[in-house]
Amino acid sequence: MTHEIPDYLHYTDSHEWIDDGGDALRIGITDFAQDELGDVVFVELPEEGESLNSGDACAVVESIKAVSDIYTPVTGTVTATNDGVLDQPELLNTDPYGEGWLFEIDGQVPDDALGATDYREQTEE
């Protein structure tokens, strides 16, 4: 199966995406990740104003298959959370790069973030 991997995003080995197109970095899980999880039924997000270090477990996604921690790829302060996924966790399945984003954080894209081509190669292995 081919997964959607937008070229304008940055990616992590743990299947989070980073969008640096706004005032803060927007973080979510990839199409590959949501497919592996199955139907998402619950989401827990970090608190606005919470300080995070890169690699911290900061959110939880529960699906019919598993409960998975989401790790922040960026060190910074959470500036916004997507309350829409709390009410409609299935947005992670139906629109992972749009309405299914998780949180925004101030900070910088890490040097080890993957481009779309490298991430695509990783998910096809």
Side-chain angles (χ1 to χ4, degrees), residues 1 3 5 10-17 30 32-33 36 97 112-125:
M1 176 177 182
H3 295 96
I5 301 173
H10 305 275
Y11 300 90
T12 69
D13 289 333
S14 55
H15 308 290
E16 289 88 17
W17 55 260
T30 66
F32 178 86
E36 291 289 304
Y97 299 115
D112 62 351
L114 302 171
T117 301
D118 290 334
Y119 183 71
R120 198 171 286 117
E121 289 173 6
Q122 176 183 310
T123 61
E124 291 173 354
E125 292 176 354

Short mmCIF file of all heavy atoms in Angstrom, two decimals, residues 1 3 5 10-17 30 32-33 36 97 112-125:
data_model
loop_
_atom_site.label_atom_id
_atom_site.label_comp_id
_atom_site.label_asym_id
_atom_site.label_seq_id
_atom_site.Cartn_x
_atom_site.Cartn_y
_atom_site.Cartn_z
N MET A 1 0.84 -1.18 0.00
CA MET A 1 0.00 0.00 0.00
C MET A 1 0.89 1.25 0.00
O MET A 1 1.87 1.33 0.72
CB MET A 1 -0.89 -0.02 1.24
CG MET A 1 -1.74 1.21 1.38
SD MET A 1 -2.82 1.08 2.83
CE MET A 1 -3.68 2.60 2.68
N HIS A 3 1.39 5.10 0.94
CA HIS A 3 0.88 6.07 1.91
C HIS A 3 1.17 7.48 1.42
O HIS A 3 2.17 7.72 0.76
CB HIS A 3 1.55 5.85 3.27
CG HIS A 3 1.20 4.54 3.87
ND1 HIS A 3 1.99 3.44 3.76
CD2 HIS A 3 0.12 4.16 4.58
CE1 HIS A 3 1.43 2.42 4.37
NE2 HIS A 3 0.29 2.83 4.88
N ILE A 5 2.58 11.00 1.58
CA ILE A 5 3.75 11.61 2.22
C ILE A 5 4.00 12.95 1.54
O ILE A 5 4.72 13.04 0.55
CB ILE A 5 4.99 10.69 2.11
CG1 ILE A 5 4.70 9.33 2.77
CG2 ILE A 5 6.21 11.36 2.75
CD1 ILE A 5 5.78 8.29 2.56
N HIS A 10 8.37 17.72 7.13
CA HIS A 10 9.54 17.02 7.65
C HIS A 10 9.01 15.83 8.44
O HIS A 10 7.90 15.88 8.99
CB HIS A 10 10.36 17.93 8.57
CG HIS A 10 10.77 19.21 7.93
ND1 HIS A 10 11.89 19.34 7.14
CD2 HIS A 10 10.18 20.43 7.94
CE1 HIS A 10 11.99 20.57 6.71
NE2 HIS A 10 10.96 21.27 7.18
N TYR A 11 9.83 14.78 8.58
CA TYR A 11 9.37 13.54 9.22
C TYR A 11 10.39 13.02 10.22
O TYR A 11 11.56 13.38 10.16
CB TYR A 11 9.11 12.47 8.14
CG TYR A 11 8.07 12.91 7.16
CD1 TYR A 11 8.42 13.60 6.00
CD2 TYR A 11 6.73 12.68 7.39
CE1 TYR A 11 7.46 14.04 5.10
CE2 TYR A 11 5.75 13.11 6.50
CZ TYR A 11 6.13 13.79 5.36
OH TYR A 11 5.17 14.22 4.49
N THR A 12 9.91 12.15 11.12
CA THR A 12 10.79 11.51 12.09
C THR A 12 10.77 10.01 11.88
O THR A 12 9.84 9.46 11.27
CB THR A 12 10.34 11.81 13.53
OG1 THR A 12 9.10 11.13 13.77
CG2 THR A 12 10.18 13.30 13.78
N ASP A 13 11.78 9.34 12.43
CA ASP A 13 11.82 7.88 12.38
C ASP A 13 10.63 7.26 13.11
O ASP A 13 10.24 6.13 12.82
CB ASP A 13 13.11 7.35 13.00
CG ASP A 13 14.33 7.65 12.14
OD1 ASP A 13 14.18 7.76 10.91
OD2 ASP A 13 15.43 7.76 12.71
N SER A 14 10.08 7.98 14.09
CA SER A 14 8.96 7.45 14.86
C SER A 14 7.60 7.85 14.28
O SER A 14 6.57 7.75 14.94
CB SER A 14 9.07 7.87 16.33
OG SER A 14 9.19 9.27 16.45
N HIS A 15 7.60 8.33 13.03
CA HIS A 15 6.39 8.56 12.23
C HIS A 15 5.55 9.77 12.64
O HIS A 15 4.34 9.80 12.47
CB HIS A 15 5.53 7.29 12.15
CG HIS A 15 6.31 6.10 11.72
ND1 HIS A 15 6.80 5.95 10.45
CD2 HIS A 15 6.75 5.02 12.41
CE1 HIS A 15 7.49 4.82 10.36
NE2 HIS A 15 7.48 4.24 11.54
N GLU A 16 6.22 10.80 13.18
CA GLU A 16 5.56 12.08 13.35
C GLU A 16 5.95 12.98 12.17
O GLU A 16 6.98 12.78 11.56
CB GLU A 16 5.99 12.78 14.65
CG GLU A 16 5.47 12.13 15.92
CD GLU A 16 6.38 11.04 16.44
OE1 GLU A 16 7.56 10.99 16.03
OE2 GLU A 16 5.93 10.23 17.25
N TRP A 17 5.09 13.93 11.85
CA TRP A 17 5.43 14.92 10.82
C TRP A 17 5.53 16.29 11.48
O TRP A 17 4.97 16.53 12.54
CB TRP A 17 4.43 14.93 9.66
CG TRP A 17 2.98 15.13 9.99
CD1 TRP A 17 2.04 14.15 10.09
CD2 TRP A 17 2.30 16.37 10.24
NE1 TRP A 17 0.81 14.71 10.40
CE2 TRP A 17 0.95 16.06 10.48
CE3 TRP A 17 2.70 17.70 10.28
CZ2 TRP A 17 0.00 17.04 10.76
CZ3 TRP A 17 1.76 18.69 10.57
CH2 TRP A 17 0.42 18.34 10.80
N THR A 30 1.91 10.52 10.89
CA THR A 30 1.85 10.31 9.45
C THR A 30 0.73 9.37 9.04
O THR A 30 0.17 8.64 9.86
CB THR A 30 3.19 9.75 8.94
OG1 THR A 30 3.37 8.44 9.49
CG2 THR A 30 4.36 10.65 9.29
N PHE A 32 1.22 6.73 7.35
CA PHE A 32 1.74 5.39 7.65
C PHE A 32 1.41 5.01 9.09
O PHE A 32 0.94 3.91 9.37
CB PHE A 32 3.26 5.37 7.43
CG PHE A 32 3.90 4.05 7.77
CD1 PHE A 32 3.96 3.03 6.84
CD2 PHE A 32 4.44 3.84 9.03
CE1 PHE A 32 4.54 1.81 7.16
CE2 PHE A 32 5.03 2.63 9.36
CZ PHE A 32 5.08 1.61 8.42
N ALA A 33 1.64 5.93 10.04
CA ALA A 33 1.40 5.66 11.45
C ALA A 33 -0.07 5.38 11.72
O ALA A 33 -0.42 4.42 12.42
CB ALA A 33 1.88 6.83 12.32
N GLU A 36 -0.99 1.95 10.49
CA GLU A 36 -0.48 0.90 11.37
C GLU A 36 -1.32 0.78 12.65
O GLU A 36 -1.53 -0.31 13.17
CB GLU A 36 0.98 1.17 11.75
CG GLU A 36 1.95 1.01 10.59
CD GLU A 36 2.14 -0.43 10.17
OE1 GLU A 36 2.50 -1.26 11.04
OE2 GLU A 36 1.92 -0.72 8.99
N TYR A 97 -2.90 14.80 7.88
CA TYR A 97 -2.07 15.97 7.58
C TYR A 97 -2.85 17.28 7.60
O TYR A 97 -2.29 18.34 7.40
CB TYR A 97 -1.40 15.82 6.22
CG TYR A 97 -0.49 14.61 6.15
CD1 TYR A 97 -0.79 13.55 5.31
CD2 TYR A 97 0.65 14.53 6.93
CE1 TYR A 97 0.04 12.44 5.24
CE2 TYR A 97 1.48 13.43 6.87
CZ TYR A 97 1.18 12.39 6.03
OH TYR A 97 1.99 11.29 5.97
N ASP A 112 18.06 16.31 12.37
CA ASP A 112 17.93 14.91 11.93
C ASP A 112 16.55 14.60 11.34
O ASP A 112 16.24 13.44 11.07
CB ASP A 112 18.27 13.95 13.06
CG ASP A 112 17.34 14.07 14.26
OD1 ASP A 112 16.52 15.02 14.32
OD2 ASP A 112 17.44 13.21 15.16
N ALA A 113 15.71 15.62 11.15
CA ALA A 113 14.40 15.39 10.53
C ALA A 113 14.60 14.90 9.10
O ALA A 113 15.54 15.30 8.41
CB ALA A 113 13.57 16.67 10.53
N LEU A 114 13.73 14.02 8.67
CA LEU A 114 13.81 13.45 7.33
C LEU A 114 12.99 14.27 6.35
O LEU A 114 11.92 14.77 6.69
CB LEU A 114 13.25 12.02 7.34
CG LEU A 114 13.92 11.02 8.28
CD1 LEU A 114 13.11 9.73 8.33
CD2 LEU A 114 15.34 10.75 7.85
N GLY A 115 13.47 14.36 5.12
CA GLY A 115 12.68 14.91 4.04
C GLY A 115 11.71 13.85 3.54
O GLY A 115 11.80 12.68 3.93
N ALA A 116 10.81 14.23 2.67
CA ALA A 116 9.79 13.30 2.18
C ALA A 116 10.42 12.10 1.47
O ALA A 116 9.97 10.96 1.65
CB ALA A 116 8.82 14.03 1.26
N THR A 117 11.45 12.32 0.67
CA THR A 117 12.07 11.22 -0.08
C THR A 117 12.66 10.19 0.87
O THR A 117 12.44 8.98 0.72
CB THR A 117 13.15 11.76 -1.03
OG1 THR A 117 12.52 12.67 -1.94
CG2 THR A 117 13.80 10.64 -1.81
N ASP A 118 13.41 10.66 1.87
CA ASP A 118 14.01 9.73 2.84
C ASP A 118 12.96 9.00 3.66
O ASP A 118 13.08 7.81 3.93
CB ASP A 118 14.98 10.47 3.76
CG ASP A 118 16.23 10.95 3.05
OD1 ASP A 118 16.60 10.33 2.02
OD2 ASP A 118 16.83 11.93 3.50
N TYR A 119 11.91 9.72 4.06
CA TYR A 119 10.85 9.07 4.84
C TYR A 119 10.12 8.04 3.98
O TYR A 119 9.80 6.95 4.45
CB TYR A 119 9.87 10.10 5.41
CG TYR A 119 8.80 9.46 6.27
CD1 TYR A 119 9.13 8.95 7.51
CD2 TYR A 119 7.51 9.35 5.81
CE1 TYR A 119 8.16 8.33 8.30
CE2 TYR A 119 6.53 8.75 6.59
CZ TYR A 119 6.87 8.23 7.83
OH TYR A 119 5.90 7.61 8.60
N ARG A 120 9.87 8.38 2.73
CA ARG A 120 9.20 7.45 1.81
C ARG A 120 10.00 6.16 1.70
O ARG A 120 9.44 5.06 1.76
CB ARG A 120 9.04 8.13 0.45
CG ARG A 120 8.02 7.52 -0.45
CD ARG A 120 7.77 8.38 -1.70
NE ARG A 120 6.99 9.56 -1.37
CZ ARG A 120 7.42 10.82 -1.49
NH1 ARG A 120 8.64 11.07 -1.93
NH2 ARG A 120 6.65 11.83 -1.16
N GLU A 121 11.32 6.27 1.56
CA GLU A 121 12.17 5.09 1.48
C GLU A 121 12.09 4.26 2.75
O GLU A 121 12.06 3.03 2.70
CB GLU A 121 13.62 5.50 1.20
CG GLU A 121 13.84 6.02 -0.20
CD GLU A 121 15.25 6.58 -0.42
OE1 GLU A 121 16.10 6.46 0.51
OE2 GLU A 121 15.49 7.11 -1.50
N GLN A 122 12.04 4.92 3.90
CA GLN A 122 11.96 4.22 5.19
C GLN A 122 10.68 3.41 5.31
O GLN A 122 10.69 2.29 5.81
CB GLN A 122 12.06 5.22 6.33
CG GLN A 122 11.89 4.60 7.70
CD GLN A 122 11.91 5.63 8.80
OE1 GLN A 122 12.80 6.46 8.87
NE2 GLN A 122 10.92 5.59 9.67
N THR A 123 9.56 3.98 4.87
CA THR A 123 8.28 3.29 5.03
C THR A 123 8.07 2.19 4.00
O THR A 123 7.19 1.36 4.17
CB THR A 123 7.10 4.28 4.96
OG1 THR A 123 7.10 4.93 3.68
CG2 THR A 123 7.19 5.30 6.07
N GLU A 124 8.88 2.18 2.96
CA GLU A 124 8.74 1.14 1.92
C GLU A 124 9.62 -0.06 2.20
O GLU A 124 9.55 -1.05 1.50
CB GLU A 124 9.07 1.73 0.55
CG GLU A 124 8.05 2.74 0.09
CD GLU A 124 8.44 3.48 -1.19
OE1 GLU A 124 9.58 3.27 -1.67
OE2 GLU A 124 7.63 4.25 -1.70
N GLU A 125 10.47 0.01 3.23
CA GLU A 125 11.38 -1.10 3.53
C GLU A 125 10.65 -2.28 4.10
O GLU A 125 9.66 -2.19 4.74
CB GLU A 125 12.47 -0.65 4.52
CG GLU A 125 13.40 0.34 3.91
CD GLU A 125 14.41 0.88 4.91
OE1 GLU A 125 14.33 0.58 6.10
OE2 GLU A 125 15.33 1.59 4.46
#
